[in-house]
Amino acid sequence: MSEKPWAGRFSLPTDKFVEEFNASIHFDKRFAEYDIKGSMAHVRMLAKQGIILESESEQILEGLKTVLEEIESGKFEFKTEDEDIHMAVEKRLRELIGQVAGKLHTARSRNDQVAVDFRMYLRQEIFEIKNYLKLLLETILNKAKNEIDAVMPGYTHLQTAQPILFSHYMMAYFEMFKRDYQRFTDIIDRLNYSPLGAGALAGTTFNIDREFTAKELGFIAPTLNSLDSVSDRDFALEFLSAASICQMHLSRMSEEFIIFSTSEFAFIELSDDYCTGSSIMPQKKNPDIPELIRGKTGRVYGNMISLFTTMKGLPLAYNKDMQEDKEPVFDTVDTLKASLKIFSPMIEKMKLNKSKMYSSAKLGFSTATDLADYLVRRGLPFRDAHHVVGRAVAYCLDKGVDLSDLTIEELKGFSELIKDDIYDYITLEASVNSRKATGGTAKVSVEHQIKLGQEFLSEN
Ligand code: ARG
């Protein structure tokens, strides 16, 4: 067992199982690249401030470069006895350049080190997640554009409510994922401050330049309070929250794809390469991918609750509990990235069964409100109009037809206010295209949404 860097005041070596239990290296090795970049900036600052010699800084920088290369090429050996990535890097540095390696940790603690690593890591991951989101937004927008005229039933309570354009339905999700994109941008704005130099908790006695390291590492500025710097995990909580909302959006859309691809609905057909079969029922084509995305939402929520719970009772400043902050974030990063990555091509390749959507839109008397509105516009109080249409619907149910299938004589029989122009109001097309006000389902309105969506994409 190797001597620990902190072993000076100890008379017994760490118990083997305690060592394993205490270690985080098997997961925080994900920070390796950021840990080394943070150390490079720190060491340059130490030399600039005259805290270490220029020649010492050069030696350390050379050594750190070698360690980074070893990690990137897979040569680096991650050992439990090194406890975490911070100590593993420093130990390897010492093997490479000798005792001068010990100067790297001047005016720094693992507490500010892990905080700066975590922020850099998450900043990069959020950047990548935003790219996947942008691709998804483009895919949704293109689907809406290409299928602008397709009519489908709109639902409340999963009961047919009013006809809508499929493109309107798509653009609803555009709005959701657009907000997700904006939320991730907001998180970076608040996350992008450097805790490096906060020390263990109270700052440092050395004359360091935190503005310099902040700038070197691409942060806006240093954080302002050393206690907060080492104990704050709001950025991770914000990320887990935003990721949960985003995954929830994916899950809701998945749920609809699952329902819409049943043989009862048959509105859409997912591409064969995004489905699987059954080992016993030869006719089956299962929507595993949307099901899995819906299922994975559980772990994404779980990760969020996990960190909120870890943080809730912690006194300032750092506590070892906080080592539990990383795995939930890593898991959510992996899950969300994979879900987003698979979602865009799944939407792009799915096929619409437009005639089935159209005939289903007619099934539930989806234009009943339009008939009532027609009567109201001709002076009938809404309550009476509601009653008249109710009778017409009952009549149609009996005959097994839609309102728009009735003859003009039949329709006029329900109210003398009904005139020959009634069909201009109660067909699916008429119903859809009369909802022209901002945000409605009329084609002009959807076109407007698409135009604004395109502007958003070109600005971001
Ligand atoms: N591995 C630790 C973590 O992830 C690094 C910080 C350790 N700090 C300490 N004072 N023991 O939280």
Side-chain angles (χ1 to χ4, degrees):
M1 202 173 304
S2 71
E3 170 99 332
K4 303 275 191 263
W6 40 253
R9 58 103 67 217
F10 287 76
S11 51
L12 281 179
T14 320
D15 174 89
K16 198 71 205 153
F17 186 63
V18 169
E19 186 172 87
E20 261 170 48
F21 188 77
N22 191 45
S24 55
I25 187 147
H26 52 288
F27 51 84
D28 65 19
K29 60 183 178 196
R30 275 207 203 203
F31 287 166
E33 176 197 338
Y34 306 105
D35 196 72
I36 292 174
K37 289 191 174 145
S39 288
M40 287 174 161
H42 182 66
V43 99
R44 269 187 226 114
M45 182 278 291
L46 291 177
K48 180 182 85 71
Q49 295 299 95
I51 299 168
I52 64 172
L53 297 174
E54 196 58 53
S55 60
E56 292 169 333
S57 153
E58 274 159 25
Q59 262 180 291
I60 296 172
L61 286 170
E62 256 322 293
L64 285 171
K65 228 177 97 196
T66 309
V67 181
L68 185 59
E69 281 160 11
E70 288 180 358
I71 288 170
E72 281 169 351
S73 65
K75 271 199 234 128
F76 192 93
E77 235 191 294
F78 297 96
K79 296 193 209 107
T80 304
E81 64 193 49
D82 292 335
E83 195 175 318
D84 58 26
I85 187 63
H86 324 294
M87 295 210 287
V89 168
E90 200 183 316
K91 197 184 93 183
R92 182 67 189 129
L93 185 66
R94 186 183 294 266
E95 285 167 6
L96 289 168
I97 65 170
Q99 221 189 344
V100 64
K103 299 212 168 189
L104 167 60
H105 212 52
T106 314
R108 187 177 76 171
S109 151
R110 271 186 297 156
N111 297 350
D112 55 343
Q113 197 179 348
V114 72
V116 80
D117 290 6
F118 204 177
R119 285 178 189 239
M120 283 194 279
Y121 160 80
L122 207 47
R123 187 175 63 184
Q124 176 61 27
E125 292 294 1
I126 291 175
F127 174 76
E128 285 171 30
I129 285 169
K130 281 178 64 185
N131 282 341
Y132 280 123
L133 264 172
K134 192 163 176 204
L135 191 68
L136 179 58
L137 285 167
E138 278 160 5
T139 308
I140 289 175
L141 191 122
N142 282 334
K143 201 79 180 171
K145 240 164 90 180
N146 296 339
E147 307 287 1
I148 186 105
D149 289 313
V151 177
M152 71 183 278
Y155 298 93
T156 64
H157 313 267
L158 201 55
Q159 305 284 328
T160 305
Q162 289 167 350
I164 56 173
L165 290 181
F166 172 80
S167 50
H168 191 55
Y169 163 76
M170 276 284 140
M171 291 308 287
Y173 280 98
F174 186 94
E175 288 301 304
M176 291 178 237
F177 292 120
K178 183 176 89 184
R179 287 193 296 273
D180 290 326
Y181 188 94
Q182 292 165 328
R183 251 187 293 276
F184 284 121
T185 307
D186 291 349
I187 294 173
I188 294 195
D189 289 345
R190 261 185 306 282
L191 165 156
N192 209 10
Y193 292 85
S194 169
L196 190 59
L201 74 161
T204 172
T205 55
F206 293 94
N207 173 32
I208 59 171
D209 184 348
R210 291 190 61 209
E211 280 70 15
F212 176 85
T213 44
K215 207 162 158 232
E216 284 274 293
L217 296 171
F219 289 104
I220 297 167
T223 50
L224 291 182
N225 179 292
S226 64
L227 290 172
D228 177 53
S229 307
V230 291
S231 62
D232 167 43
R233 293 294 181 271
D234 290 1
F235 58 92
L237 293 168
E238 283 194 47
F239 168 73
L240 292 172
S241 308
S244 294
I245 297 176
C246 184
Q247 188 79 30
M248 178 267 288
H249 292 151
L250 292 171
S251 185
R252 292 183 78 175
M253 203 175 195
S254 292
E255 167 75 5
E256 286 170 332
F257 289 168
I258 293 162
I259 296 174
F260 291 168
S261 60
T262 58
S263 40
E264 289 78 2
F265 271 84
F267 290 177
I268 62 165
E269 190 183 342
L270 297 173
S271 178
D272 277 1
D273 50 352
Y274 281 76
C275 293
T276 62
S278 155
S279 52
I280 176 162
M281 296 168 283
Q283 85 283 11
K284 293 270 278 176
K285 179 170 153 185
N286 295 327
D288 298 51
I289 300 310
E291 288 175 291
L292 265 177
I293 288 171
R294 187 178 60 182
K296 283 177 189 295
T297 309
R299 66 197 285 165
V300 172
Y301 290 0
N303 291 333
M304 173 183 68
I305 298 298
S306 161
L307 187 55
F308 269 98
T309 311
T310 297
M311 295 304 295
K312 76 177 267 288
L314 297 187
L316 300 188
Y318 177 83
N319 302 267
K320 188 70 170 217
D321 314 44
M322 289 161 71
Q323 184 163 286
E324 291 292 308
D325 61 0
K326 290 171 246 334
E327 287 163 295
V329 170
F330 295 164
D331 186 68
T332 288
V333 163
D334 293 344
T335 306
L336 182 60
K337 271 165 87 176
S339 303
L340 288 169
K341 182 175 173 180
I342 211 161
F343 224 74
S344 299
M346 186 174 73
I347 291 183
E348 196 181 300
K349 290 179 165 192
M350 88 188 182
K351 282 208 197 74
L352 303 190
N353 184 346
K354 290 185 227 174
S355 59
K356 182 65 182 12
M357 288 195 311
Y358 190 88
S359 55
S360 292
K362 276 180 97 173
L363 279 180
F365 303 102
S366 59
T367 59
T369 321
D370 299 275
L371 178 54
D373 288 351
Y374 175 93
L375 295 169
V376 168
R377 250 180 252 115
R378 276 154 191 76
L380 200 61
F382 185 77
R383 291 255 177 257
D384 300 305
H386 192 285
H387 190 73
V388 169
V389 179
R391 283 197 296 118
V393 165
Y395 179 83
C396 287
L397 277 171
D398 238 25
K399 283 192 78 176
V401 296
D402 182 52
L403 287 169
S404 61
D405 298 326
L406 297 179
T407 64
I408 188 68
E409 285 73 30
E410 283 175 304
L411 283 164
K412 283 179 176 171
F414 293 105
S415 164
E416 62 214 18
L417 293 172
I418 294 177
K419 304 287 178 227
D420 290 350
D421 65 352
I422 184 64
Y423 296 107
D424 297 343
Y425 297 87
I426 59 170
T427 62
L428 294 182
E429 289 76 6
S431 169
V432 162
N433 282 319
S434 60
R435 290 171 163 76
K436 287 191 176 62
T438 305
T441 193
K443 185 174 175 179
V444 283
S445 161
V446 178
E447 280 167 343
H448 186 61
Q449 295 174 49
I450 291 175
K451 184 176 153 264
L452 294 180
Q454 246 148 4
E455 280 168 25
F456 177 82
L457 288 174
S458 52
E459 283 157 15
N460 282 279

